[in-house]
Amino acid sequence: MLSYGRQSISAEDVAAVAAVLAGDWLTTGPAVDQFEAALSQLAGGLPVVTTTSGTAALHVAYAAIGLGPGDEVVTTPMTFVATASAASLFGAKIVFADIEPDSGLIDPAAVAASVTGRTKAITAVDYAGQPADYEALRPVAQSVGAVLLADAAHAIGGSDRGRPVGGLADVTAFSFFPTKNITSGEGGAVVCRDPALARRAREFHNIGLVRDPERFRLADQGPWHQEVQAFGLNYRLSDIACALGLSQLNRLAAFKRRRGQIVARYNAALGELPSVATPPLRPGVDPVWHLYPLRVLEGRRRQVYERLRADGIGVQVNYLPVYWHPVYADQGYRRGLCPQAEAFYAQELSLPLHPGLSDDQVDQVVEAVAEALR
Ligand SMILES: *Cc1c(COP(=O)(O)O)cnc(C)c1O
């Protein structure tokens, strides 16, 4: 099976992990600090907290902004469920704003029509690897005092008008799942513009433990003392995982180049075919393409999906509109809520895209698509 996404692990990656295994710190050690420092550098110098997954990163982000019952989060339905579900766990109401028809990115005009005085966060998703339009979303967030959050699980390494992903929103969440742009096995990270938010994120990801004597509410316990003032979870990423992540970060520029070449090859060949639409690129964006979201028109997506799968080509569909998941349907969200997202879902087909794909394999995928449409 030609997989739709997979990790690329080099001898250097293996050596970096082996060195940690042979050392003193399997977790809470120097590799964590090094990975966080390198991610911070990539994100324009903002503070970074690593987490055990992208889902954990979103959970930490929503905890850090103090999300709770009565709050609303405006987000896109064209995403992995965790973008919304991590907020629902805090009792917040999710308000789905529709997408732009071609890019799959949240539509700033739809967001502007969805915000209220209760909107605590606007969470955009950098679908397929291109950053959402944060320049357009920022004034909307400011108009209601909401935090602008980026689910950048797809997008690490990209930029918009020269500004790096990680520095485009108030808070950014990354994922290092094996199919993403870089991997640490499982893993994620949160970037916060506001240092107070970064501190809350760090404490929530470490059980809520406060270690700064200046802030202790229990006085005179002794030098061993640490205390909990707000609940948290253990979302710490290990040194083993951070060593892999750090080594992968060194390869991100090469991954970006190869992913871009594959997308250009798909665009050139598939642009010639009838009944399909290739993904557009927002002006000013320099993406690391995570997905290749082809759209198959005229109701033929399922036919193409089944034909490619039968040929051993691991295509995927990204994504089921989030509010179609039974957990949201049970809360009363109805079909038809976001027509553009539903139309996009009906046509979308993610073709194989990862740095290990050869040009021959890309051509084989294109040929299979052409065959399926013949
Ligand atoms: C992968 C992904 C997540 C979750 O990340 P995990 O590391 O798998 O928990 C969240 N949002 C989006 C858009 C993703 O693609």
Side-chain angles (χ1 to χ4, degrees):
M1 180 68 108
L2 214 166
S3 58
Y4 95 100
R6 68 160 287 146
Q7 69 279 12
S8 162
I9 301 296
S10 68
E12 289 76 18
D13 292 336
V14 173
V17 172
V20 166
L21 290 172
D24 292 332
W25 298 89
L26 295 187
T27 190
T28 73
V32 178
D33 299 337
Q34 285 161 16
F35 188 35
E36 289 180 350
L39 288 167
S40 172
Q41 197 177 17
L42 182 102
L46 301 176
V48 174
V49 179
T50 50
T51 60
T52 47
S53 69
T55 303
L58 288 161
H59 201 209
V60 168
Y62 290 127
I65 68 170
L67 194 67
D71 293 333
E72 295 178 0
V73 174
V74 177
T75 192
T76 169
M78 189 40 58
T79 184
F80 184 60
V81 65
T83 313
S85 61
S88 296
L89 282 170
F90 289 104
K93 179 184 166 195
I94 309 301
V95 178
F96 291 100
D98 212 347
I99 59 166
E100 294 172 340
D102 296 320
S103 67
L105 296 170
I106 198 166
D107 179 354
V111 174
S114 303
V115 294
T116 72
R118 292 180 298 279
T119 307
K120 185 93 171 187
I122 296 169
T123 306
V125 172
D126 298 341
Y127 179 83
Q130 29 176 353
D133 191 351
Y134 295 99
E135 296 251 301
L137 293 169
R138 182 168 297 284
V140 180
Q142 278 167 350
S143 72
V144 291
V147 176
L148 185 55
L149 223 141
D151 179 340
H154 297 183
I156 193 167
S159 63
D160 185 2
R161 281 156 278 189
R163 296 176 60 202
V165 169
L168 298 172
D170 299 323
V171 179
T172 300
F174 291 130
S175 165
F176 309 128
F177 187 73
T179 56
K180 304 293 165 74
N181 295 347
I182 62 167
T183 189
S184 59
E186 297 278 1
V190 190
V191 188
C192 298
R193 186 169 293 287
D194 175 352
L197 283 192
R199 191 185 77 193
R200 283 204 289 278
R202 185 162 292 286
E203 285 171 4
F204 185 82
H205 110 299
N206 190 31
I207 309 105
L209 287 166
V210 174
R211 292 200 164 118
D212 174 7
E214 305 259 301
R215 294 179 48 229
F216 284 164
R217 287 165 53 186
L218 293 176
D220 304 327
Q221 289 303 302
W224 56 83
H225 180 65
Q226 48 183 336
E227 65 183 37
V228 169
Q229 300 172 354
F231 292 124
L233 290 161
N234 179 354
Y235 279 156
R236 294 187 309 257
L237 193 61
S238 72
D239 282 59
I240 303 166
C242 285
L244 178 55
L246 185 62
S247 182
Q248 288 262 301
L249 210 45
N250 292 328
R251 305 176 59 209
L252 180 54
F255 291 160
K256 174 176 188 285
R257 208 173 313 119
R258 184 59 193 148
R259 284 175 175 274
Q261 286 168 349
I262 293 167
V263 166
R265 197 170 182 92
Y266 275 140
N267 283 343
L270 295 165
E272 303 287 307
L273 292 185
S275 314
V276 296
T278 58
L281 182 62
R282 252 186 357 95
V285 165
D286 182 19
V288 178
W289 287 102
H290 163 60
L291 299 175
Y292 187 86
L294 184 70
R295 283 182 309 130
V296 183
L297 314 178
E298 300 153 10
R300 303 177 75 185
R301 192 268 311 276
R302 191 185 186 109
Q303 167 195 342
V304 178
Y305 176 95
E306 284 175 350
R307 175 63 197 265
L308 267 66
R309 282 267 164 174
D311 283 355
I313 297 172
V315 282
Q316 287 279 356
V317 171
N318 303 93
Y319 293 95
L320 182 79
V322 168
Y323 58 84
W324 287 21
H325 282 278
V327 70
Y328 284 108
D330 288 350
Q331 291 177 28
Y333 293 89
R334 292 281 169 263
R335 294 199 178 194
L337 183 60
C338 296
Q340 298 292 0
E342 295 183 15
F344 192 92
Y345 167 62
Q347 297 179 337
E348 201 274 346
L349 187 70
S350 299
L351 302 185
L353 177 58
H354 58 85
L357 277 186
S358 67
D359 285 353
D360 282 350
Q361 287 173 316
V362 173
D363 295 346
Q364 181 196 331
V365 174
V366 170
E367 189 47 42
V369 172
E371 272 297 316
L373 289 168
R374 215 160 268 149

